[in-house]
Amino acid sequence: MDFKYDVIVIGAGHAGCEAATAAANLGSKTCLITMDMNKVGQMSCNPAVGGIAKGQIVREIDALGGQMGLITDQTAIQFRLLNRSKGPAMWSPRAQCDRNKFSWAWREILENTPNLHIWQDTVKEIIVENGEIVGLKTWWEVTFHAKCVVLTAGTFLNGLMHVGKTMLPGGRMAEPASYQLTESIAAQGITYGRMKTGTPVRIDGRSVHYEFMDTQDGEADFHKFSFMDTSVRHLKQLQCWTCYTNEESHDILRKGLADSPLFNGQIQSIGPRYCPSIETKIVTFPDKEQHQLFLEPEGETTQELYLNGFSSSLPMDVQMAALKKIPAFKDLVIYRPGYAIEYDFFDPTQLKHTLETKKIKNLFFAGQVNGTTGYEEAAGQGLIAGINAHINCHGGEPFTLARDEAYIGVLIDDLVTKGVDEPYRMFTSRAEYRILLRMDDADMRLTERGYQMGLVTKERYELLKRKREEVERIIEFTRNYSIKAVLINDALETLGTTPLRHGCKLIDLINRPQLSIESMAEHIPALKRELDQIEDRKEEIIEAAEIQIKYQGYIERERIIADKLARLESIKIKGRFDYDSLQSLSTEARQKLIKIDPETIAQASRIPGVSPSDINVLLVLSGR
């Protein structure tokens, strides 16, 4: 059998689902190929979305017309806004989701997206002619022809799972690995390596002594992931719990290290440094007497619980014995042990910023095959790959995001410019323009671009326009409204801030850290009337206006810096120089520039090993 499509997406994880729906919604005839239709959008590890910087990525996906934010709001069983004690650049939404409902919600979207077909099978080979991908073959001996292919195979490429000395092939517990596809791609000159990740034990909640744990409650204010109106919590909101390991559990873990695949040479690949296994923690921090654990529900009605912080590939009996030394788990019963998994990934420096491979035209990579980890990073890449696959099929300018436009832009630029030597995870510290990339303004930054591209609906775009108008109206009112000291000083003293000596504009009062727009509205009837005119999403609009007022100076300063550096982004150098012949460059710079072949001077400046003096040489040769 032969099938023909514009875009084929291999793998229905978070990257694949976003890629397929984006391409299809833009008008490409699309096929999503998955091993198991019952595992689409599967949360292989923690059933949670968001977190530090990751939550910002999800809001960007949503602002561009992607699906993850909508599905997260629909299936959340606990929501929290992290880093509230810090400034808005650090605020990050996080939601615990019902694992099964999240997956099913994705399947409902996929099955009802026009132009999108699902095929259950495993891909074993890509078909390349004259340096361009033209199709693929599956294990069921079906040939697919395509103009573009997006690979989002996650941890399945030659996946190998480890529990103690036991090794089992697979891409996820109880699911087969994918074979031959890596080799088929590598035969075209694309290099690959091995990485490792892990997941913790799953616990039967009926065996837990919750009296020895502290509760961690969710929040119920207006914050959520999608900018669309999804404010109603659809599912029952649940607690999480915390506890700590102890010296007794550490002693058992230390005694088991000889049988740990991470320390006995069984696993050679590199794991995520920022999310270490429990055995790595006790080796790296030998003087630490305890490590915090988070017990999180897997769903609204299931007894299955996820033990965040206890990722491990130690033998089952060691995992169990160590956990039973913790009072909350003294009678522990588990569903399955923690395990590590090794898998193939491709060096992301072999990609363009569109996520198309440099060696094979119209072949795109997204997600963990690029050396990243995390559902959010995968989904953001999938969205960009799906958009650009559609553009390659039907024409148009490549769609990319700059580092001052989105965390997704930072993520992709880091991957294609710097490469990875461990699984990449997004942090706010990776972005040099954090104050410009806040969670609250992702729609302001990106929705218009999504609308112009055709992925954002008119309904969503109209919501953005109304929000922008309301925010600007409130800011303008505070800028022009005068306050008399005699009329406001009693209120200021009540609110714990210094009284006025003379009158001022309302915006000057709101700039004080002790005051807010809403606290001022309780004492200024004219302001209250202005706020009462807001018909929808009132809290969100007031928050957006207040952030712009309080942080305007920081925002403007960072924008000036970004605009100055944008000059280097405009200097195109791809294909202009024979770097090997430029002896005025350092040897390392020549090697790195040949490998990466950067698009611009700015990208060249971010390549590790390319020094400021090397950049000056390129500027002179560029006539700047």
Side-chain angles (χ1 to χ4, degrees):
M1 292 181 66
D2 285 11
F3 295 105
K4 291 185 179 180
Y5 289 93
D6 293 328
V7 176
I8 293 176
V9 179
I10 305 170
H14 304 276
C17 288
E18 292 287 357
T21 51
N25 283 326
L26 286 169
S28 285
K29 184 182 178 184
T30 305
C31 182
L32 177 62
I33 302 178
T34 176
M35 289 181 176
D36 188 346
M37 288 177 61
N38 295 314
K39 297 290 177 64
V40 299
Q42 179 77 337
M43 294 172 141
S44 305
C45 203
N46 190 356
V49 171
I52 307 302
K54 291 167 170 282
Q56 284 88 324
I57 289 177
V58 180
R59 288 211 122 196
E60 291 170 355
I61 292 167
D62 180 76
L64 285 167
Q67 309 298 320
M68 181 176 258
L70 289 162
I71 293 174
T72 301
D73 287 341
Q74 181 183 336
T75 60
I77 53 179
Q78 188 190 86
F79 181 92
R80 288 189 297 136
L81 186 62
L82 309 183
N83 283 340
R84 282 183 183 269
S85 63
K86 301 180 180 180
M90 303 298 288
W91 295 352
S92 300
R94 182 187 188 274
Q96 197 74 16
C97 294
D98 185 302
R99 179 192 302 278
N100 291 327
K101 290 183 172 68
F102 186 96
S103 178
W104 191 254
W106 252 123
R107 179 162 170 176
E108 286 188 11
I109 287 175
L110 294 168
E111 289 191 13
N112 292 284
T113 298
N115 303 314
L116 179 56
H117 176 222
I118 304 174
W119 179 262
Q120 185 166 304
D121 203 342
T122 303
V123 177
K124 66 175 180 178
E125 180 184 347
I126 60 171
I127 305 170
V128 177
E129 295 178 0
N130 301 317
E132 180 174 347
I133 195 160
V134 295
L136 51 86
K137 292 181 179 178
T138 74
W139 280 99
W140 283 110
E141 298 299 336
V142 179
T143 299
F144 286 81
H145 300 281
K147 297 176 183 176
C148 289
V149 172
V150 183
L151 176 67
T152 67
T155 61
F156 283 79
L157 297 179
N158 295 315
L160 182 64
M161 298 178 290
H162 301 260
V163 179
K165 294 180 179 179
T166 302
M167 294 182 287
L168 292 174
R172 212 164 25 213
M173 183 69 81
E175 297 182 52
S178 173
Y179 298 106
Q180 296 190 18
L181 185 53
T182 295
E183 292 75 14
S184 174
I185 294 169
Q188 302 296 324
I190 293 178
T191 61
Y192 69 97
R194 296 284 278 177
M195 277 192 175
K196 168 260 171 189
T197 189
T199 191
V201 59
R202 303 306 200 274
I203 290 172
D204 186 333
R206 294 168 295 183
S207 69
V208 176
H209 288 271
Y210 297 100
E211 66 271 21
F212 296 117
M213 308 189 84
D214 294 322
T215 58
Q216 187 179 63
D217 296 318
E219 301 169 359
D221 69 1
F222 70 93
H223 289 102
K224 50 192 174 61
F225 275 97
S226 179
F227 290 98
M228 301 296 280
D229 186 13
T230 57
S231 55
V232 176
R233 304 290 183 203
H234 296 266
L235 305 181
K236 181 181 177 181
Q237 299 300 288
L238 303 179
Q239 286 181 328
C240 295
W241 301 267
T242 63
C243 66
Y244 292 86
T245 59
N246 53 42
E247 271 302 322
E248 288 184 281
S249 60
H250 290 186
D251 285 342
I252 292 172
L253 293 168
R254 289 189 194 100
K255 291 174 184 175
L257 288 177
D259 294 320
S260 167
L262 293 176
F263 294 97
N264 65 10
Q266 187 172 309
I267 291 178
Q268 298 292 325
S269 50
I270 299 173
R273 174 168 42 91
Y274 44 81
C275 186
S277 66
I278 190 65
E279 52 264 43
T280 301
K281 289 178 186 178
I282 64 168
V283 170
T284 306
F285 308 104
D287 298 328
K288 197 163 185 179
E289 296 179 355
Q290 61 181 20
H291 295 281
Q292 190 170 25
L293 305 177
F294 300 85
L295 190 62
E296 300 167 332
E298 294 256 337
E300 186 182 23
T301 57
T302 181
Q303 290 289 346
E304 187 176 358
L305 300 171
Y306 179 98
L307 189 58
N308 200 342
F310 203 87
S311 177
S312 180
S313 58
L314 284 163
M316 287 186 229
D317 58 340
V318 177
Q319 293 185 40
M320 287 289 289
L323 286 170
K324 285 190 173 184
K325 293 298 182 181
I326 300 169
F329 304 131
K330 61 183 180 179
D331 296 315
L332 184 67
V333 176
I334 69 171
Y335 288 108
R336 61 186 181 276
Y339 64 92
I341 181 168
E342 290 184 286
Y343 55 93
D344 294 339
F345 81 101
F346 300 96
D347 180 356
T349 61
Q350 299 170 106
L351 303 174
K352 304 175 183 177
H353 280 79
T354 59
L355 298 180
E356 182 184 12
T357 63
K358 295 174 181 176
K359 284 189 176 290
I360 304 175
K361 182 175 172 56
N362 292 333
L363 174 63
F364 295 78
F365 292 165
Q368 285 190 259
V369 295
N370 287 339
T372 65
T373 186
Y375 313 141
E376 304 82 0
E377 290 91 338
Q381 293 172 68
L383 182 67
I384 300 302
I387 290 168
N388 282 297
H390 165 81
I391 290 170
N392 278 20
C393 290
H394 301 280
E397 289 297 312
F399 184 85
T400 59
L401 295 170
R403 296 181 70 92
D404 63 341
E405 284 185 290
Y407 273 96
I408 297 173
V410 174
L411 162 69
I412 293 175
D413 186 64
D414 279 354
L415 292 175
V416 305
T417 301
K418 301 174 182 178
V420 291
D421 55 13
E422 64 181 17
Y424 180 103
R425 176 181 176 179
M426 178 55 69
F427 295 105
T428 49
S429 59
R430 295 192 190 272
E432 59 269 47
Y433 306 116
R434 290 186 291 278
I435 198 81
L436 301 181
L437 306 182
R438 307 180 311 277
M439 57 152 269
D440 68 278
D441 77 334
D443 56 343
M444 299 285 200
R445 290 183 274 122
L446 300 174
T447 293
E448 187 156 356
R449 288 203 64 186
Y451 181 67
Q452 292 169 350
M453 176 178 53
L455 195 57
V456 166
T457 64
K458 186 170 181 60
E459 176 192 7
R460 180 185 287 269
Y461 184 57
E462 290 299 324
L463 281 175
L464 169 70
K465 289 201 299 183
R466 288 199 296 273
K467 175 181 174 180
R468 182 177 284 146
E469 290 166 1
E470 294 284 14
V471 169
E472 290 173 355
R473 181 175 62 82
I474 293 170
I475 294 173
E476 192 64 20
F477 176 83
T478 65
R479 188 177 288 121
N480 294 323
Y481 189 81
S482 297
I483 298 287
K484 293 183 178 179
V486 67
L487 297 178
I488 198 67
N489 276 346
D490 288 346
L492 295 181
E493 290 193 43
T494 301
L495 293 167
T497 187
T498 307
L500 294 174
R501 292 184 179 179
H502 47 76
C504 69
K505 296 297 184 183
L506 176 56
I507 196 169
D508 297 322
L509 285 181
I510 293 171
N511 263 313
R512 294 187 180 186
Q514 304 91 342
L515 304 180
S516 67
I517 290 176
E518 291 193 277
S519 67
M520 286 289 89
E522 295 177 9
H523 302 280
I524 303 173
L527 176 58
K528 185 177 185 303
R529 287 193 295 271
E530 287 293 318
L531 300 184
D532 287 343
Q533 293 179 39
I534 304 172
E535 295 182 357
D536 299 310
R537 303 193 294 170
K538 184 175 181 179
E539 298 98 330
E540 179 186 325
I541 288 167
I542 292 173
E543 179 182 81
E546 188 164 311
I547 289 171
Q548 288 193 37
I549 290 171
K550 287 182 179 294
Y551 294 88
Q552 188 62 36
Y554 299 101
I555 293 169
E556 288 178 353
R557 184 172 63 188
E558 202 158 271
R559 173 47 60 197
I560 290 170
I561 295 170
D563 288 345
K564 284 181 179 178
L565 292 177
R567 184 178 74 89
L568 298 182
E569 296 285 3
S570 68
I571 304 175
K572 306 293 184 182
I573 59 173
K574 187 176 178 66
R576 288 188 62 182
F577 304 118
D578 175 10
Y579 295 115
D580 202 31
S581 67
L582 299 181
Q583 298 303 309
S584 50
L585 296 173
S586 68
T587 301
E588 185 179 9
R590 290 200 302 274
Q591 292 171 346
K592 294 291 183 66
L593 289 166
I594 290 168
K595 178 183 178 183
I596 305 299
D597 192 16
E599 296 281 343
T600 66
I601 290 282
Q603 187 189 357
S605 71
R606 294 190 291 270
I607 298 173
V610 177
S611 70
S613 61
D614 295 319
I615 295 301
N616 285 333
V617 169
L618 295 177
L619 283 170
V620 170
L621 293 174
S622 300
R624 303 299 176 110

